[in-house]
Amino acid sequence: MKRPLIAIIGRPNVGKSTLFNRIIGKRLAIVEDMPGVTRDRNYSYTSYRGRDFILVDTGGLEPETSDPILSQMKTQAEIAINEADIIIFMMDGREGLILSDMEIVDILRKVHTPVFYAINKVDSIKVDVNISDFHRLGVEKLYAISAEHGRCVDDLLDDMYLLLPEQAEVEKGDEYPKIAVVGRPNVGKSTLVNRLSGKERLITSPVPGTTRDAIDTVVTYNKKKYLFVDTAGIRKKAHVERGIESYSVIHALRSIDRCDIAILLVDAAEGITSQDLKIASYIEEAGKGYIIGMNKWDLIEKDENTMEQYRKGIGRAYPRFSHVPLIFMSALSGSRVAKIYNEINSVLGEYSKKISTGELNRFLAAISNRLPCSSYKGRPVKLYYATQIGIRPPRFLYFVNYPEAIDRNTVRFFENTMRDRWGFRGVPIRIIIRKK
């Protein structure tokens, strides 16, 4: 089952980005007290009480507008509405109910998606009195909240929680593995899927943006079936056109979410770019395994040492990729493309790897005297116990005496030492710290 997508919509300047930041617990969306600050959708993989979802912040929705920017923002919001599994519609409690709110509610009555109606900026008794007018909308339940101060946001999330699938449902697999082919425009994604399938099923062109939607292709190799998903190129947000291309980007992200493994295709001639790093972050945040395909390798002038030099250079420049399988290939000529299957099978095995509790705790005892944070407020930090609590991706629970002492460097130490011991090639590791 795919991870649900929750879209926050509403008029400009009602506090959508503030609620987005409140729910994910990070300041990702730009917040400014002026309408129209959020013009593109902003995405984040997040969870509430152990149930995962994708949260989408949108630009302001004005039902009738001649302003070109507001019109583009309206298109963005409409795309999010069509894609969403759950919608949060926000209104402004200080401003009161206005005609635009009523027109948006009329639009939402026609969709079959669950809608939660939130009245924001209700942070004083005076505003509480003013919200009675919103009952004219005739909706079943209204949530009076303050996104800025967190007031009653938990009530909203608790009710949405009942509609979110349990983790076991999200992890349930189909009959064969799903592999999303992702990357920037014009790096050869469709050419690779055509090469793997042995058919010219997908349109290929040197013009960036040829693929607009995610396309599924089932391939049989050595009597085993694989489902490959070709996706639209993911550009930098500043370069994404409104409308159909934005729709393609959200489909690419959804394809990452529903896959088991992603192949991040990189143009070898251009090398790894900042946008490639951002796409890798999407994959890691979604908790998916991945492989990096250095495509167009046939265009590189090389000798017998070039491949190893590239491999070492990438490892030095991008330590985060040190555990990710790297394939130097040419989708156009077919060179080394078949190696993809061995790496897919290897990463799938790592993705579902289980470590026994006994083995994990013997490992814990061996590293306990090497912790980066050996003390907290003058007292020694102790590792008591660890256990694996999930797979796809592997998830581990560590019990310590002072959880607040475990910083990012220590979590990174846990991850690196676990990789040295058990591999976990190409998959993210989730480590949760709890007090005994």
Side-chain angles (χ1 to χ4, degrees):
M1 182 180 292
K2 66 183 181 181
R3 197 181 315 236
L5 188 148
I6 300 177
I8 305 173
I9 70 163
R11 294 182 293 106
N13 205 32
V14 296
K16 299 182 296 298
S17 296
T18 305
L19 180 63
F20 178 87
N21 290 339
R22 170 68 60 180
I23 293 174
I24 67 172
K26 302 175 186 176
R27 193 177 175 83
L28 289 187
I30 299 171
V31 178
E32 195 69 51
D33 190 20
M34 59 184 296
V37 171
T38 304
R39 294 184 181 176
D40 291 295
R41 294 183 306 280
N42 201 353
Y43 309 88
S44 180
Y45 294 99
T46 189
S47 64
Y48 181 68
R49 289 169 54 187
R51 297 190 180 181
D52 298 333
F53 56 94
I54 304 172
L55 189 65
V56 183
D57 181 24
T58 67
L61 177 60
E62 287 285 2
E64 299 295 334
T65 179
S66 57
D67 183 283
I69 291 181
L70 288 178
S71 179
Q72 291 167 354
M73 290 159 59
K74 176 186 175 184
T75 301
Q76 295 283 292
E78 287 172 343
I79 291 170
I81 290 172
N82 291 332
E83 283 290 302
D85 300 295
I86 297 172
I87 295 169
I88 302 173
F89 172 50
M90 291 188 69
M91 297 165 282
D92 189 326
R94 293 177 190 164
E95 193 173 351
L97 182 65
I98 66 172
L99 181 60
S100 290
D101 293 326
M102 300 178 73
E103 291 173 346
I104 295 171
V105 170
D106 287 338
I107 294 171
L108 295 175
R109 291 187 201 280
K110 299 173 185 176
V111 303
H112 299 292
T113 306
V115 181
F116 291 81
Y117 297 87
I119 306 167
N120 192 31
K121 306 180 186 179
V122 182
D123 42 23
S124 70
I125 296 176
K126 182 179 179 181
V127 180
D128 265 326
V129 173
N130 293 337
I131 66 171
S132 59
D133 194 37
F134 287 90
H135 291 288
R136 288 196 292 135
L137 294 172
V139 300
E140 185 175 341
K141 186 170 183 178
L142 295 168
Y143 296 84
I145 69 170
S146 171
E148 184 176 2
H149 300 105
R151 179 189 179 191
C152 296
V153 172
D154 285 349
D155 294 339
L156 172 64
L157 291 172
D158 285 341
D159 285 352
M160 285 196 304
Y161 170 84
L162 301 175
L163 302 181
L164 300 175
E166 295 180 8
Q167 187 66 35
E169 293 181 76
V170 174
E171 290 180 351
K172 196 180 295 180
D174 291 331
E175 55 182 312
Y176 32 74
K178 297 181 288 295
I179 300 95
V181 182
V182 299
R184 294 178 293 114
N186 204 31
V187 294
K189 298 182 296 296
S190 297
T191 304
L192 175 60
V193 177
N194 283 339
R195 172 64 61 180
L196 291 166
S197 65
K199 302 174 183 176
E200 291 297 318
R201 183 172 185 270
L202 309 177
I203 299 171
T204 59
S205 166
V207 178
T210 302
T211 302
R212 291 291 190 183
D213 213 338
I215 302 171
D216 291 0
T217 302
V218 177
V219 177
T220 302
Y221 183 79
N222 283 347
K223 299 181 181 180
K224 184 174 180 178
K225 288 187 176 181
Y226 304 83
L227 187 146
F228 288 94
V229 183
D230 181 33
T231 63
I234 304 175
R235 300 190 188 190
K236 289 184 179 180
K237 185 174 287 189
H239 298 156
V240 175
E241 299 171 4
R242 306 305 194 272
I244 189 167
E245 190 170 359
S246 298
Y247 183 78
S248 299
V249 171
I250 194 172
H251 263 261
L253 296 176
R254 291 299 291 264
S255 296
I256 290 172
D257 185 60
R258 71 185 182 93
C259 77
D260 301 300
I261 304 293
I263 299 174
L264 172 56
L265 214 57
V266 174
D267 188 321
E270 296 182 18
I272 294 175
T273 68
S274 60
Q275 186 64 1
D276 294 321
L277 296 175
K278 188 169 185 179
I279 297 169
S281 294
Y282 279 130
I283 298 169
E284 291 163 0
E285 287 174 19
K288 306 300 179 179
Y290 68 110
I291 298 160
I292 297 176
M294 300 297 291
N295 194 29
K296 307 183 184 181
W297 187 244
D298 52 324
L299 303 181
I300 303 294
E301 291 187 16
K302 49 190 172 291
D303 56 32
E304 63 273 12
N305 297 320
T306 306
M307 189 182 298
E308 190 58 30
Q309 289 171 352
Y310 263 72
R311 195 184 301 276
K312 289 180 178 178
I314 290 171
R316 285 193 298 268
Y318 309 104
R320 65 189 285 189
F321 294 146
S322 60
H323 68 90
V324 181
L326 201 60
I327 302 174
F328 296 88
M329 51 181 276
S330 169
L332 190 62
S333 70
S335 173
R336 296 189 184 85
V337 167
K339 291 181 179 293
I340 284 175
Y341 292 105
N342 288 336
E343 293 294 4
I344 288 172
N345 293 333
S346 173
V347 173
L348 282 171
E350 301 289 283
Y351 199 43
S352 299
K353 180 179 284 186
K354 294 181 179 179
I355 310 299
S356 71
T357 299
E359 189 177 1
L360 191 58
N361 282 285
R362 285 191 292 274
F363 159 80
L364 214 63
I367 67 167
S368 60
N369 60 349
R370 295 162 47 199
L371 293 182
C373 55
S374 57
S375 64
Y376 179 72
K377 294 184 177 179
R379 297 184 179 183
V381 174
K382 296 181 180 180
L383 303 180
Y384 290 118
Y385 181 77
T387 186
Q388 185 168 358
I389 58 173
I391 58 172
R392 302 169 64 87
R395 299 187 297 280
F396 299 89
L397 187 59
Y398 280 56
F399 291 96
V400 304
N401 56 344
Y402 298 113
E404 54 271 33
I406 309 299
D407 56 14
R408 287 185 180 181
N409 289 333
T410 305
V411 172
R412 196 175 296 117
F413 168 78
F414 288 149
E415 180 181 338
N416 290 339
T417 51
M418 290 179 75
R419 291 192 189 280
D420 291 341
R421 175 67 180 82
W422 292 294
F424 292 113
R425 286 180 72 245
V427 300
I429 298 174
R430 300 284 191 258
I431 296 173
I432 302 164
I433 307 297
R434 291 282 185 271
K435 187 176 180 62
K436 184 181 177 183

